[in-house]
Amino acid sequence: MAKGGGGRRTSEETKERLLAAAGDVLREEGYAGASARAIAARAEANSALVFYHFGGVDQLLLAALDRSSAERLAMYRELTAGARTLEELVAAATRIYRTDLERGYITEFSELVAAAVTKPELRREIKVRAEPWIAFIEQEWERVLGGSALARLVPAREVAYGAITFYLGVNLFSVLDEDHSRTEAVFDLATQLAPRAKLLTLRLPRRGRRDGDVGFAEDAEEDA
């Protein structure tokens, strides 16, 4: 099969074009507009190839979500790796939100979640795909704040669920907050509050130590 130069596309090239087109259509037209015909037209391919390569439109949309999620997780792990304080973690979260907003990733995920409300089979798939993000948020919260009073008051799992809920709500609320000023105000508030919570973010002394031996939770990891 010829490649490039106006020749016929390979199977992999066609699949890549369909994946890219599916993400674009989902972000721009929503789930309701993401038909096989619309996606194929964007990819300059035959709509039958959506079913040939992926088995259906939903499977193609999930594959497109998988690809973008993998890219984003790698990018955001690198971004948050440098965070050592609550302030830096809030700054990283703000940057993640703005990047996802600018690139349409919030819409991509939210549209599939909305569709899953009436499609149980899609609901199961979305739930599985949300878990890596919940785990990512949990890990970063524990890495930066584990062992502190704040971490005990606000457990990592609850923080992760709250972040995902906020993420989805932002897309729905965008109907009322077209310039995103209200959402930005939430991040501004978090940025102002983070420095004031320094006492809560200090690592707590380890229990069971002898008098005069002041160790911290992070030391416990080194002793292990």
Side-chain angles (χ1 to χ4, degrees), residues 64-199:
L65 178 64
D66 288 340
R67 187 173 72 162
S68 65
S69 289
E71 293 172 352
R72 290 165 58 222
L73 264 177
M75 178 170 60
Y76 295 153
R77 285 188 193 282
E78 184 176 345
L79 172 63
T80 59
R84 292 292 181 271
T85 65
L86 178 60
E87 297 98 304
E88 292 172 348
L89 201 56
V90 169
T94 303
R95 186 171 171 186
I96 287 172
Y97 158 72
R98 289 173 178 166
T99 300
D100 276 0
L101 181 65
E102 291 168 2
R103 300 184 183 183
Y105 292 132
I106 289 180
T107 300
E108 184 178 22
F109 184 65
S110 299
E111 284 290 329
L112 286 173
V113 171
V117 172
T118 57
K119 302 185 74 171
E121 67 280 7
L122 190 57
R123 195 180 312 159
R124 290 190 294 270
E125 298 292 344
I126 293 298
K127 183 177 179 180
V128 169
R129 285 162 174 80
E131 282 301 322
W133 289 99
I134 292 172
F136 167 61
I137 297 168
E138 279 189 278
Q139 290 162 6
E140 292 306 295
W141 185 261
E142 280 295 332
R143 180 182 64 78
V144 175
L145 299 166
S148 69
L150 184 60
R152 294 188 180 186
L153 286 170
V154 190
R157 191 72 173 178
E158 280 65 28
V159 171
Y161 279 125
I164 294 295
T165 301
F166 175 78
Y167 194 94
L168 294 172
V170 163
N171 188 61
L172 295 174
F173 191 64
S174 64
V175 176
L176 304 177
D177 187 29
E178 294 182 8
D179 63 355
H180 310 294
S181 60
R182 298 179 187 179
T183 305
E184 284 289 345
V186 174
F187 285 100
D188 290 342
L189 179 61
T191 300
Q192 294 171 29
L193 291 177
R196 302 180 185 182
K198 282 188 176 179
L199 286 177

